[in-house]
Amino acid sequence: DQQVKQNSPSLSVQEGRISILNCDYTNSMFDYFLWYKKYPAEGPTFLISISSIKDKNEDGRFTVFLNKSAKHLSLHIVPSQPGDSAVYFCAAKDTSGTYKYIFGTGTRLKVLA
Amino acid sequence: DAGITQSPRHKVTETGTPVTLRCHQTENHRYMYWYRQDPGHGLRLIHYSYGVKDTDKGEVSDGYSVSRSKTEDFLLTLESATSSQTSVYFCAISPGTGAGANVLTFGAGSRLTVL
């Protein structure tokens, strides 16, 4: 049972435009959400996070939105740059007595110059 | 990369042989994790540790065991490797408290091929 879902395996966006990556979750015990970026042959690197008590968090070109009622979060990248081309994973932290982080299957973003 | 190293970085082994991957951290973080990355599956949690000698299972723990005898080292063992365990393995750490308490920092990965 996939608790964290990224339903779009890939996304292509023109340079300078907005990239929107989506993530859905099913477990209401998740209280902290993170986005990671991964380049080939490297480990994932932390991008931005949001606590369940907030609905938006912004860091430079990156904004994460959380809709708890819909169990949905999204990552907005504005403006998109060619260097943003990577695989993006969303992750959720389980607080039901464990310290597990569950990841989605990833979305490959390609920013076209 | 933020004081976390994985070894070996690459390994080729044969079916049925034991394999141990090591994760070493210099950050004194409490929590350590082992994930595997496979196409179409993203990152899946194998085992994690919430302190010395304290470990728990993740989503895909069958065929794997772990040990943490000291804060800085978290070992992942495949007792008898199978071809389905061919994957890239990532170790991650998290402090649990203080600045960045909930952020996972990943190692560079260990690519394992089981023939």
Side-chain angles (χ1 to χ4, degrees):
Chain A
D1 181 29
Q2 191 78 26
Q3 297 185 71
V4 178
K5 301 177 185 179
Q6 294 178 256
N7 291 318
S8 297
S10 63
L11 176 68
S12 291
V13 172
Q14 284 295 133
E15 181 179 7
R17 306 297 291 268
I18 184 172
S19 295
I20 300 176
L21 294 90
N22 295 302
C23 181
D24 296 295
Y25 62 96
T26 58
N27 190 338
S28 59
M29 295 304 294
F30 291 153
D31 76 336
Y32 196 82
F33 303 89
L34 310 93
W35 284 95
Y36 282 81
K37 177 179 179 179
K38 187 182 182 304
Y39 292 120
E42 295 183 10
T45 54
F46 171 70
L47 205 52
I48 193 170
S49 61
I50 188 167
S51 165
S52 60
I53 62 173
K54 296 185 175 181
D55 55 16
K56 177 182 175 181
N57 188 27
E58 197 169 352
D59 184 2
R61 296 187 297 115
F62 303 91
T63 303
V64 56
F65 295 92
L66 176 62
N67 183 332
K68 282 189 67 178
S69 61
K71 293 190 175 67
H72 176 83
L73 64 155
S74 61
L75 173 68
H76 292 209
I77 306 173
V78 185
S80 301
Q81 300 173 353
D84 295 329
S85 297
V87 177
Y88 290 78
F89 292 100
C90 67
K93 184 184 175 191
D94 188 340
T95 58
S96 57
T98 75
Y99 288 88
K100 295 180 181 179
Y101 290 75
I102 306 300
F103 282 75
T105 52
T107 296
R108 182 178 300 277
L109 173 66
K110 188 172 184 178
V111 180
L112 306 170
Chain B
D1 194 358
I4 176 171
T5 56
Q6 294 184 226
S7 60
R9 293 291 315 281
H10 301 272
K11 185 171 182 65
V12 179
T13 191
E14 294 187 350
T15 298
T17 60
V19 175
T20 295
L21 305 180
R22 180 186 185 226
C23 179
H24 178 78
Q25 59 139 333
T26 58
E27 304 295 321
N28 200 35
H29 286 181
R30 177 181 175 185
Y31 299 95
M32 299 186 75
Y33 302 80
W34 277 108
Y35 286 87
R36 60 178 288 175
Q37 185 194 7
D38 304 288
H41 292 279
L43 291 159
R44 292 182 293 176
L45 180 63
I46 305 171
H47 282 280
Y48 70 102
S49 169
Y50 48 97
V52 174
K53 292 189 169 65
D54 292 322
T55 64
D56 201 357
K57 295 179 179 180
E59 306 164 272
V60 289
S61 59
D62 288 348
Y64 301 95
S65 63
V66 290
S67 66
R68 192 170 178 199
S69 59
K70 45 187 177 177
T71 299
E72 55 266 36
D73 288 326
F74 192 34
L75 304 180
L76 177 70
T77 298
L78 292 65
E79 301 290 346
S80 177
T82 67
S83 58
S84 65
Q85 293 175 312
T86 292
S87 186
V88 181
Y89 292 85
F90 289 100
C91 177
I93 61 175
S94 171
T97 58
N102 293 314
V103 174
L104 289 180
T105 300
F106 282 86
S110 295
R111 180 175 293 276
L112 175 67
T113 301
V114 184
L115 302 176

